[in-house]
Amino acid sequence: MSQPNVIYLKDYQVPAFLIDHTQLHFELMTDYTQVSATLTMRRNPESTEPSADLFLHGDKELTLLSLQIDGEQLSSSSFQRDDNGLTLYNLLDAFSLKIVTQIYPDKNTALEGLYRSGGMFCTQCEAEGFRRITFFQDRPDVMSVFDTTLSADKALYPVLLSNGNLVDSGDSAKGRHFASWHDPHPKPAYLFALVAGDLAHIEASFTTMSGKEISLKVFADAKDLDKLDYAMQSLKKSMRWDEQVYGREYDLEVFNIVAVDFFNMGAMENKGLNIFNTSCVLAHPETTTDASFQRVEAIVAHEYFHNWSGNRVTCRDWFQLSLKEGFTVFRDSQFSADMNSSTVKRIEDVRLLRTAQFSEDAGPMAHAIRPASFIEISNFYTMTVYEKGAEVVRMLHTFLGAEKFREGSDLYFSRHDGQAVTTDDFISAMQDVSGRDFSQFKNWYNQAGTPVLTVTDEYDAQLQCYQIHISQYCPATPGQTEKLPYHLPFCLGLLDENGSDIELAEGESSLLELTETSQTFVFHNIAVKPVPSLLRGFSAPVKLEYAYSREQLVFLISHDADGFNRWEASQKLAAEIILELVDKLINGEELSLDPCLVEAYRAVISDENLDKAMITQVITLPSEQYLAQLCTEVDVSNIHRARQFVRQQLAAALESEFLAAYQGARQAAGRYDPSAQSIAKRSLQNLSLGYLMALNKESHLTLARRQYDTADNMTDSMAALALVVHSQFTQVAEDLLSNFYLKWQEDTLVINQWFSVQASDPKAGTLAKVQQLMKHPAFDFVNPNKVRSLVASFCMQNPINFHAEDGSGYLFLADQIIALDKTNPQLAARLIGPLSKWSSYAKVRQSQIREQLNRILGSGELSADVYEVVTKSLA
Ligand code: B3K
Ligand code: ZN
């Protein structure tokens, strides 16, 4: 098989030509679409090659119908076509290029470019989808003003949308109609979008800070019309927040959001026309869980915030992806923190970072947030680029403080408005407003891997002096053996014997700046030996090693003024206890639970001053996936058993507390609302029910059943369903599953949750069930949401079954990847993740996994997407 090309950042060159204007005409027909593109082009004055040929990207599936320059058809000798596009020779300095292509949206199962989802035409062009629509310089540093006309059958596609503002529309012959859109803001092709379909919508208006009226619309299939309000509210909140916190105003007359069923990821920030996966925009109490409500709010905000961080100021090349994604994730997490509880948001973000990003950093695909090379850019929409990228921006915010950071972002936006820039430009703006030197900080952009900080301390009672030594190192990652030290903010607090923060002496700061491999910080006038609260708020994305005693952890759980670190202490304590039990299981020793965990949990549940969301977080045990991260060799089944044991022991010891918490929350529950406060109540209620169900008692089953039967919202009914399905009460589980299916069979998104609950069942026999469910009429292999809810849930949320000793889980996943690569390479490549971490498992599993990776590699012609991940995983 021919090996796909590797693309390097160091090879970047400015484009030879610029496209000042792009005029598009789409003739949308039933079984094909004709695209006419008229490009106003000129040579780039900044190019070093004054007589360069013009290269236009274009997918090999494009049918080229016509090619004209300034009205003259091009002779076959003046251009050449290959699998990647067109090269045009002997060009003038400025000209108009007209290209007519034909494409087949119905055959497009890769969901990149123009495709049809549930009878509606829609597009996905980031990163390199526009080249599947027409020939173009499909790179983010070529920015163009777009005028787009859509023409389609009026009865089938009454709604015709594209970027920018609507400038004309009307009827044409043969029952067709048209709409013309003008987007005045120059943009790269990846932000182009169109939608044509029979859609219902809701409408609102927003008055910007300078008094402009914006028309807001959210479109979806008519059956989903009642599920759009929450997205609209979230949009308005985001628009206001971005004005207030970043001074960013919206810049078109309309802002449209469209929900589509078939979508490779969450959503897309196309200029003025955001396209969303239905799962990230539809929300209704009866069908949507609290977690999904929060996801809708966060993703609507994220895509909206891209209007400035991404669209007005975009990326020079795809290596700079984190410039827009890291910054925008940082912005959306600030927003969610402001809308809900900031501590809980921080905990959720760190939990995700640690389970998903740290493992990426420790695996074969480890890459810096600004990678140096890639084969397929779609493989780099990763936790690293997004979540670690956001952490890196967050560190700058910590160093500068909110005000200076805002000055920096103002400068960045004004200096680069309308430009395609680099992460260095972002850093420069932050340096220029603060006078600080962030050159060492840039190591975060170039180096992969999670730094490890080792902390030791000593106290001199006589001198009343406390010293803390911090050393840092970063493990080698593929292609990077040597790492330079990082510049990072390390926030801490010192607790006295009552648990209060000791006031630091003048000139001493609780914000330490690390720059060296090893540093010592001294604190004076410390009257008693303090308990240190380290890395408060998780001030840097690192692993921290400090030899806390269990007593100190218990103390921090109930006293730390930093809410995040209270949670952190509880995680450390629980993880340490569970991993000790894993060792006992391996050695065949008897298990017993350290009572300190029970007492710590008891104190937290009974703490009336602690809000319910915090209680829930603190008494949630670390996940099996996170525990796996902490092990040098992962023993999946013993992690599962030890964690289950701890869960049961806690449930037995605290049964009355959990019962009281459960009943208290049930009684206090009013009508459903997705506010942070009500979500907190339900989360404590359902977590308590979870502990109770671990006891396998009929009386608790009755509680769960009653909750399922009487729930007026999906959060409660799904929580009860999942607990019963994952319990030993298999008959009741079957009953509830059929009842649930009958009730919700018309609602795709709800049925996806039904799939996922079954796929994540830790009991034996789940794989067979998943295989059976793949034949269910509600399953569709071409719909990514379905594949995620069944295949990904099994392989990612069900470690005990996925890693079954006979290797059946690996075989199953490899089969799915091979099959999916033929229809949807992006999705196929995403699913390789669980196989790429083979080196953390025992020898037998390692060879089982590698065998499957090799099988994928040998299965025939692979997409660049799958090829890259598989070969890197095997390297
Ligand atoms: N920018 C898009 C992601 C596109 C992924 C393309 N494979 C969504 C987002 O991050 O907002
Ligand atoms: Zn984004």
Side-chain angles (χ1 to χ4, degrees), residues 269 302-303 306 325 386:
E269 70 264 24
H302 179 98
E303 305 311 333
H306 268 315
E325 296 305 347
Y386 276 65

PDB file of all heavy atoms in Angstrom, residues 269 302-303 306 325 386, ligand 2:
ATOM      1  N   GLU A 269     -18.294  25.651  13.845  1.00  0.00           N
ATOM      2  CA  GLU A 269     -18.462  27.099  13.994  1.00  0.00           C
ATOM      3  C   GLU A 269     -18.523  27.882  12.691  1.00  0.00           C
ATOM      4  O   GLU A 269     -18.145  29.057  12.666  1.00  0.00           O
ATOM      5  CB  GLU A 269     -17.290  27.627  14.830  1.00  0.00           C
ATOM      6  CG  GLU A 269     -15.906  27.613  14.136  1.00  0.00           C
ATOM      7  CD  GLU A 269     -15.023  26.403  14.441  1.00  0.00           C
ATOM      8  OE1 GLU A 269     -15.581  25.350  14.797  1.00  0.00           O
ATOM      9  OE2 GLU A 269     -13.791  26.507  14.324  1.00  0.00           O
ATOM     10  N   HIS A 302     -19.177  27.467  23.000  1.00  0.00           N
ATOM     11  CA  HIS A 302     -17.891  27.221  22.335  1.00  0.00           C
ATOM     12  C   HIS A 302     -17.946  27.658  20.863  1.00  0.00           C
ATOM     13  O   HIS A 302     -17.094  28.411  20.397  1.00  0.00           O
ATOM     14  CB  HIS A 302     -17.535  25.731  22.448  1.00  0.00           C
ATOM     15  CG  HIS A 302     -16.259  25.345  21.788  1.00  0.00           C
ATOM     16  ND1 HIS A 302     -15.073  25.211  22.476  1.00  0.00           N
ATOM     17  CD2 HIS A 302     -15.964  25.070  20.486  1.00  0.00           C
ATOM     18  CE1 HIS A 302     -14.116  24.871  21.635  1.00  0.00           C
ATOM     19  NE2 HIS A 302     -14.624  24.771  20.411  1.00  0.00           N
ATOM     20  N   GLU A 303     -18.963  27.189  20.167  1.00  0.00           N
ATOM     21  CA  GLU A 303     -19.041  27.523  18.732  1.00  0.00           C
ATOM     22  C   GLU A 303     -19.262  29.011  18.551  1.00  0.00           C
ATOM     23  O   GLU A 303     -18.695  29.628  17.651  1.00  0.00           O
ATOM     24  CB  GLU A 303     -20.150  26.722  18.031  1.00  0.00           C
ATOM     25  CG  GLU A 303     -20.069  25.202  18.187  1.00  0.00           C
ATOM     26  CD  GLU A 303     -18.708  24.590  17.897  1.00  0.00           C
ATOM     27  OE1 GLU A 303     -17.951  25.172  17.109  1.00  0.00           O
ATOM     28  OE2 GLU A 303     -18.397  23.532  18.495  1.00  0.00           O
ATOM     29  N   HIS A 306     -16.065  30.968  18.953  1.00  0.00           N
ATOM     30  CA  HIS A 306     -15.169  30.859  17.801  1.00  0.00           C
ATOM     31  C   HIS A 306     -15.349  32.039  16.840  1.00  0.00           C
ATOM     32  O   HIS A 306     -14.463  32.304  16.031  1.00  0.00           O
ATOM     33  CB  HIS A 306     -15.448  29.569  17.027  1.00  0.00           C
ATOM     34  CG  HIS A 306     -14.607  28.396  17.451  1.00  0.00           C
ATOM     35  ND1 HIS A 306     -13.256  28.484  17.674  1.00  0.00           N
ATOM     36  CD2 HIS A 306     -14.932  27.080  17.648  1.00  0.00           C
ATOM     37  CE1 HIS A 306     -12.781  27.268  17.996  1.00  0.00           C
ATOM     38  NE2 HIS A 306     -13.783  26.414  18.001  1.00  0.00           N
ATOM     39  N   GLU A 325      -8.565  26.389  19.131  1.00  0.00           N
ATOM     40  CA  GLU A 325      -9.298  25.425  19.952  1.00  0.00           C
ATOM     41  C   GLU A 325      -8.950  25.534  21.439  1.00  0.00           C
ATOM     42  O   GLU A 325      -9.830  25.543  22.286  1.00  0.00           O
ATOM     43  CB  GLU A 325      -9.092  23.999  19.434  1.00  0.00           C
ATOM     44  CG  GLU A 325      -9.658  23.756  18.034  1.00  0.00           C
ATOM     45  CD  GLU A 325     -11.136  24.098  17.901  1.00  0.00           C
ATOM     46  OE1 GLU A 325     -11.827  24.288  18.924  1.00  0.00           O
ATOM     47  OE2 GLU A 325     -11.601  24.203  16.748  1.00  0.00           O
ATOM     48  N   TYR A 386      -7.115  20.389  22.318  1.00  0.00           N
ATOM     49  CA  TYR A 386      -8.248  21.101  22.923  1.00  0.00           C
ATOM     50  C   TYR A 386      -8.028  21.345  24.425  1.00  0.00           C
ATOM     51  O   TYR A 386      -7.974  22.484  24.868  1.00  0.00           O
ATOM     52  CB  TYR A 386      -9.538  20.283  22.729  1.00  0.00           C
ATOM     53  CG  TYR A 386     -10.208  20.495  21.394  1.00  0.00           C
ATOM     54  CD1 TYR A 386      -9.583  20.103  20.210  1.00  0.00           C
ATOM     55  CD2 TYR A 386     -11.470  21.063  21.289  1.00  0.00           C
ATOM     56  CE1 TYR A 386     -10.208  20.279  18.973  1.00  0.00           C
ATOM     57  CE2 TYR A 386     -12.096  21.253  20.065  1.00  0.00           C
ATOM     58  CZ  TYR A 386     -11.467  20.856  18.915  1.00  0.00           C
ATOM     59  OH  TYR A 386     -12.079  21.034  17.700  1.00  0.00           O
TER      60      TYR A 386
HETATM   61 ZN    ZN B   2     -13.669  24.484  18.710  1.00  0.00          ZN
END
